[in-house]
Amino acid sequence: MTQEKFINSPYVEQMRKITNGLYTHGWDERNGGNVSYQLLESEIKPYADTGKVLRNESIDFDASEIAGQYYLVTGTGRYFKNVIDNPEGDTGLVQIAKDGHSVDILWGYNDGAQPTSEFPAHLMTHINRQHVDSNQRIVMHCHPTNLIAMSFTVPLDEKTMTRILWKMQAESVVVFPEGLGIIPYMTPGTNQIGEATADKMKEFRLVLWPQHGVFAAGDSMDETFGLIETVEKAALIYTTVQSQGGKFIQEISDADLENLTHRFGIKPNPNFIMGKSLISGK
Ligand code: 13P
Ligand code: ZN
């Protein structure tokens, strides 16, 4: 049986489409953003020879817990607007080497590219989300404008921020019932921001990087992108309310939130479901 080329696989196709979606939404200017997709050997085999290593790149943290796993991941410094036409240059398929301190490149990065500078945050997040749900094989980072803007004007408190976002549209609590995790502002591309993000990912699928962007995890490109779309739409509504004067005279009440969770059979974060009204501040 002849092997289809990996570039024609559904995984590369999904990566091309999603990076284009992130770019056209204005959430990934220049080289902003990165995406990783954990693939199974059985998914890759019809398209690529998993035994053929093109080159090896070191990583300076310990990923031995996921040694042997495969990831299709965007390259560092690569412009998302270009990935759709150049997936073999701007993305790569890697396998975490046995020692956990390097990756074998099996496909892509064909002009010398390397995995994203946020690879520590991606892999550490994958490790922790796999503990929660092994179907969650996508991690996505981008720079959504309104959510970032809120990180300048709203206290960086998970309950406060989550409740505002939940109350901006009925959809929010249904799509992210656990709420939004928040880490302090930290230097991007470091192991430290990776550790802090992954720690929050034990509890949340959405983690805000203040004054920078968001990290999201999910079980498909659509689902993970949808999480970001929903939180960013809520942030856009909040921004619009602020531009209309910022005074709430109506709101989605806590009882309304509870009713939504009953209607959709979901469990909201019990620490966030009751709190201050946006109208009275009490
Ligand atoms: P990379 O180009 O290394 O993926 O970095 C983009 C980014 O958004 C950093 O946070
Ligand atoms: Zn970024």
Side-chain angles (χ1 to χ4, degrees), residues 144-151 161 165 180 208 213-214 231-232 235-236:
T145 314
N146 293 282
L147 189 63
I148 297 170
M150 283 181 75
S151 76
M161 188 77 82
L165 294 165
L180 177 73
L208 174 65
V214 72
V231 73
E232 173 61 4
L236 172 60

Side-chain angles (χ1 to χ4, degrees), residues 36-39 59 61-71 94-104 119-131 134 136 139:
S36 60
Y37 185 176
Q38 188 217 336
L39 292 173
I59 50 176
F61 64 100
D62 181 12
S64 52
E65 190 179 330
I66 50 170
Q69 288 189 1
Y70 300 92
Y71 290 89
V94 305
Q95 182 178 25
I96 314 298
K98 273 202 193 77
D99 66 356
H101 285 278
S102 68
V103 294
D104 290 331
F119 211 27
H122 279 255
L123 291 185
M124 291 177 197
T125 293
H126 277 289
I127 290 172
N128 284 352
R129 287 314 300 175
Q130 284 174 23
H131 291 160
S134 61
Q136 292 184 7
V139 173

Side-chain angles (χ1 to χ4, degrees), residues 110-272:
N110 67 0
D111 55 3
Q114 293 182 2
T116 171
S117 60
E118 304 296 0
F119 211 27
H122 279 255
L123 291 185
M124 291 177 197
T125 293
H126 277 289
I127 290 172
N128 284 352
R129 287 314 300 175
Q130 284 174 23
H131 291 160
V132 179
D133 179 351
S134 61
N135 290 321
Q136 292 184 7
R137 295 197 270 139
I138 308 280
V139 173
M140 209 174 274
H141 164 62
C142 67
H143 303 162
T145 314
N146 293 282
L147 189 63
I148 297 170
M150 283 181 75
S151 76
F152 290 91
T153 60
V154 175
L156 295 175
D157 168 70
E158 288 166 349
K159 179 169 180 174
T160 306
M161 188 77 82
T162 296
R163 284 177 54 78
I164 291 174
L165 294 165
W166 277 357
K167 286 176 173 243
M168 291 303 106
Q169 56 190 358
E171 213 187 341
S172 284
V173 71
V174 179
V175 174
F176 51 100
E178 71 274 56
L180 177 73
I182 306 178
I183 60 167
Y185 176 84
M186 295 172 83
T187 305
T190 58
N191 287 352
Q192 287 77 7
I193 200 168
E195 282 155 14
T197 306
D199 195 47
K200 287 290 175 193
M201 283 284 182
K202 291 177 185 164
E203 200 185 335
F204 301 97
R205 288 168 303 149
L206 274 170
V207 176
L208 174 65
W209 284 13
Q211 294 88 54
H212 181 145
V214 72
F215 250 74
D219 57 15
S220 68
M221 289 287 186
D222 278 352
E223 145 87 10
T224 315
F225 188 85
L227 261 178
I228 298 171
E229 272 183 308
T230 309
V231 73
E232 173 61 4
K233 180 64 184 280
L236 172 60
I237 297 168
Y238 182 74
T239 305
T240 309
V241 170
Q242 295 307 302
S243 75
Q244 290 180 5
K247 188 171 154 45
F248 291 92
I249 60 169
Q250 282 89 232
E251 72 174 319
I252 293 176
S253 68
D254 290 7
D256 294 332
L257 289 177
E258 291 255 29
N259 287 337
L260 278 164
T261 63
H262 295 149
R263 165 68 182 80
F264 290 94
I266 43 159
K267 282 202 182 73
N269 190 320
N271 302 321
F272 299 168

